[in-house]
Amino acid sequence: DTAVSQTPKYLVTQMGNDKSIKCEQNLGHDTMYWYKQDSKKFLKIMFSYNNKELIINETVPNRFSPKSPDKAHLNLHINSLELGDSAVYFCASSQLGRKNIQYFGAGTRLSVL
Amino acid sequence: DQQVKQNSPSLSVQEGRISILNCDYTNSMFDYFLWYKKYPAEGPTFLISISSIKDKNEDGRFTVFLNKSAKHLSLHIVPSQPGDSAVYFCAASAMYGGSQGNLIFGKGTKLSVKP
């Protein structure tokens, strides 16, 4: 019974396409996040979101947008994919008040050709 | 500009011995530090943390030491076990306030524990 699950696990697509990655958590957490791990292995936060506030890392292009249909889900939409978007994307969640203790999904490896 | 640095990409240790993983940070505003462990094809999992008001935190075989004046922390694993073989990420954040949850990660150190 996976706590934070992401789909798909692998995503291969062409430049210019639009794609989405889904994330669901069953931990009852209030805050969810998206991270990007690039080819140099840096794990960088892209967004944090709870039902009141979206915090965007200022370096994230506006082609990336998080969408939250409810507290348990935070999907990542990416428009006009570029080669540099190839990376592993991790979703995470945490309790409000214990935000630093985050629970991660297994990651989605995105390859843009 | 790396605010959290793990200068050793890899470390190999014999089973039963001590593993010491190091981490340096540059931003004096960080007051909460964490170690996450990552196995291949899995996401990072929280291991242990320390706030800046302490210099040591222990949890079983894992101990984190913080030297604020040197902006340095280390993770000690003793005794090391083959199941500890993983990538260890150091992370820094704020304990309270708006920056809580904004984890800044190092590049990770791959630990291999040999039987």
Side-chain angles (χ1 to χ4, degrees):
Chain A
D1 192 20
T2 307
V4 181
S5 59
Q6 299 178 225
T7 53
K9 196 169 179 63
Y10 300 96
L11 185 54
V12 181
T13 188
Q14 300 288 328
M15 275 176 55
N17 284 351
D18 302 337
K19 289 293 178 186
S20 296
I21 306 172
K22 295 185 177 181
C23 178
E24 176 182 4
Q25 55 93 6
N26 62 8
L27 297 167
H29 287 166
D30 302 280
T31 306
M32 296 183 72
Y33 310 82
W34 277 104
Y35 286 83
K36 177 181 180 181
Q37 186 179 34
D38 61 22
S39 58
K40 295 182 180 178
K41 304 301 182 187
F42 281 111
L43 190 61
K44 291 185 179 177
I45 191 166
M46 301 175 70
F47 306 99
S48 72
Y49 182 80
N50 63 34
N51 61 359
K52 295 178 184 176
E53 189 177 27
L54 170 65
I55 299 175
I56 303 170
N57 184 317
E58 60 195 17
T59 66
V60 175
N62 58 14
R63 298 181 295 104
F64 290 78
S65 57
K67 297 279 196 295
S68 181
D70 55 59
K71 204 172 80 163
H73 297 84
L74 185 66
N75 303 325
L76 182 64
H77 298 271
I78 316 169
N79 294 327
S80 303
L81 277 155
E82 300 178 358
L83 293 176
D85 298 333
S86 296
V88 181
Y89 292 85
F90 289 96
C91 175
S93 71
S94 69
Q95 288 178 316
L96 205 60
R98 294 197 75 202
K99 284 186 173 181
N100 291 321
I101 312 300
Q102 297 179 12
Y103 294 77
F104 284 78
T108 295
R109 183 173 292 277
L110 171 65
S111 298
V112 182
L113 307 177
Chain B
D1 179 28
Q2 288 180 250
Q3 298 186 70
V4 178
K5 299 178 187 180
Q6 293 177 257
N7 291 321
S8 298
S10 63
L11 175 68
S12 184
V13 170
Q14 208 63 32
E15 182 179 6
R17 306 295 287 268
I18 186 170
S19 295
I20 300 177
L21 297 97
N22 293 304
C23 177
D24 298 295
Y25 62 97
T26 58
N27 190 336
S28 301
M29 299 301 290
F30 292 142
D31 61 3
Y32 197 75
F33 305 90
L34 309 95
W35 287 93
Y36 279 78
K37 175 180 177 180
K38 185 183 180 303
Y39 292 116
E42 295 184 11
T45 56
F46 169 71
L47 186 58
I48 192 169
S49 63
I50 189 167
S51 72
S52 60
I53 61 173
K54 294 185 174 182
D55 55 17
K56 176 182 173 181
N57 189 27
E58 192 171 353
D59 183 2
R61 297 184 297 114
F62 302 91
T63 303
V64 57
F65 295 92
L66 175 62
N67 182 334
K68 279 187 297 184
S69 60
K71 294 192 179 69
H72 176 84
L73 61 153
S74 60
L75 174 68
H76 292 213
I77 308 173
V78 57
S80 301
Q81 299 173 354
D84 296 329
S85 297
V87 177
Y88 289 79
F89 289 97
C90 173
S93 183
M95 194 162 178
Y96 302 106
S99 293
Q100 187 192 156
N102 185 9
L103 298 180
I104 307 298
F105 282 90
K107 286 179 70 172
T109 296
K110 184 175 182 180
L111 174 66
S112 300
V113 181
K114 310 287 187 190

